[in-house]
Amino acid sequence: MIIILFGPPGAGKGTVGTLLSKDLNIPLISTGDILRENVKKGTELGRRAESFMKSGALVPDKIIIRMIKEEILRLEGGFILDGVPRTINQTKILDTVVNNPYQVVYLDAEDDFLINRLSNRRICRDCGRIYHLINIPPKKEGVCDRCGGSLYQRDDDKEEVIRNRLTLFHLKTRPIFDYYQKKNILKTVDASLPLPEIINLIKKNKSDSHKR
Ligand code: AP5
């Protein structure tokens, strides 16, 4: 089973992807997480990606395609994709790499809602768990409930960078919506719903598509 989670910055792709991955017992591939890990380790890939990420720009397709192909070919069973594709070019190349049928879930929300959400996001430096200061706060301020690591705000979660990311989303990534809609494999889910409801809607779509 292959699920592509797609949507604007802050829609909840990482949060929903992590929950679904546990629930369905299939791995989550997050391009943002892979890139951030490479930046942290100072790898060649990380050095090439860092300046794009800091300004909220997209990392060039060539780098993303090579990185994601390696990950996908490594996995034999199903997986969940978070953060790719992000351009029509990535979408078409992905179709040549993924041989099995897949479903696409579009997490939908308005820009103002997303700016508010991302401004309140905090992430554990050690285990990567995602929090929201109001909706999903840690029990102790600044400390991860799961591993005790310290929580930080991503460099690209500053308001002017969030606005750049949203502009790029509308310009480069949103056209993918029409591509998948024409293929009739797209399910739109309201990203502002409570998480258990979002997970149930995605799982229901998965079982309905088996019946089709
Ligand atoms: P990436 O990390 O993929 O960033 P993004 O797409 O902008 O998405 P985010 O991670 O910001 O948001 P999300 O949708 O995962 O939301 P989250 O679950 O955290 O990419 C970062 C950068 O890497 C890009 O800008 C680009 O430079 C580069 N890059 C990555 N992939 C690339 C590609 N394919 N091509 C080119 N460049 C690429 O949730 C947000 C907040 O909301 C959290 O605080 C969470 O707790 C809260 N929340 C989520 N859902 C709910 C809910 N239902 N109810 C209440 N709170 C919720």
Side-chain angles (χ1 to χ4, degrees):
M1 170 205 333
I2 297 169
I3 301 174
I4 295 179
L5 291 175
F6 142 70
K13 303 178 295 293
T15 305
V16 170
T18 305
L19 293 172
L20 262 186
S21 160
K22 275 196 203 121
D23 198 306
L24 302 173
N25 200 23
I26 50 174
L28 172 68
I29 305 175
S30 157
T31 45
D33 285 351
I34 299 172
L35 290 167
R36 276 185 291 279
E37 191 58 28
N38 276 277
V39 171
K40 196 165 137 192
K41 288 183 180 154
T43 66
E44 166 74 22
L45 168 63
R47 282 195 296 276
R48 291 172 70 190
E50 190 171 12
S51 60
F52 296 102
M53 296 174 75
K54 268 204 171 137
S55 65
L58 292 181
V59 175
D61 281 354
K62 221 166 76 186
I63 299 179
I64 297 293
I65 300 291
R66 190 180 320 144
M67 178 182 101
I68 203 72
K69 264 188 182 170
E70 278 172 22
E71 287 292 322
I72 289 178
L73 295 174
R74 215 167 43 82
L75 296 168
E76 287 178 8
F79 50 84
I80 301 165
L81 286 181
D82 153 21
V84 70
R86 251 183 164 94
T87 61
I88 285 287
N89 188 30
Q90 290 181 20
T91 312
K92 290 183 176 161
I93 294 176
L94 197 64
D95 268 351
T96 66
V97 184
V98 177
N99 296 318
N100 298 316
Y102 58 86
Q103 297 162 54
V104 185
V105 175
Y106 179 66
L107 292 172
D108 187 26
E110 298 293 327
D111 287 7
D112 286 346
F113 175 85
L114 296 165
I115 291 169
N116 180 284
R117 240 194 196 173
L118 287 175
S119 311
N120 284 299
R121 174 167 62 182
R122 296 294 181 274
I123 299 169
C124 174
R125 212 172 272 289
D126 295 336
C127 72
R129 187 165 192 178
I130 306 168
Y131 293 87
H132 185 279
L133 294 182
I134 296 150
N135 301 336
I136 311 168
K139 289 193 184 97
K140 189 173 166 198
E141 197 185 321
V143 180
C144 177
D145 296 348
R146 181 160 63 193
C147 75
S150 63
L151 304 187
Y152 79 103
Q153 183 172 30
R154 269 170 46 177
D155 283 345
D156 60 353
D157 278 350
K158 300 187 178 98
E159 188 169 333
E160 75 273 15
V161 185
I162 300 173
R163 288 193 186 278
N164 281 348
R165 290 160 62 201
L166 284 167
T167 303
L168 266 180
F169 171 79
H170 291 296
L171 199 68
K172 301 271 188 187
T173 310
R174 187 73 214 303
I176 297 172
F177 185 93
D178 299 331
Y179 178 93
Y180 285 134
Q181 202 168 39
K182 277 189 197 131
K183 282 181 155 235
N184 207 17
I185 51 173
L186 185 76
K187 161 98 179 163
T188 299
V189 174
D190 177 352
S192 69
L193 291 172
L195 286 162
E197 223 171 295
I198 294 180
I199 300 297
N200 280 340
L201 285 169
I202 298 175
K203 283 169 65 183
K204 182 173 179 302
N205 183 52
K206 180 174 77 70
S207 53
D208 287 350
S209 73
H210 279 304
K211 286 182 214 147
R212 272 176 226 141

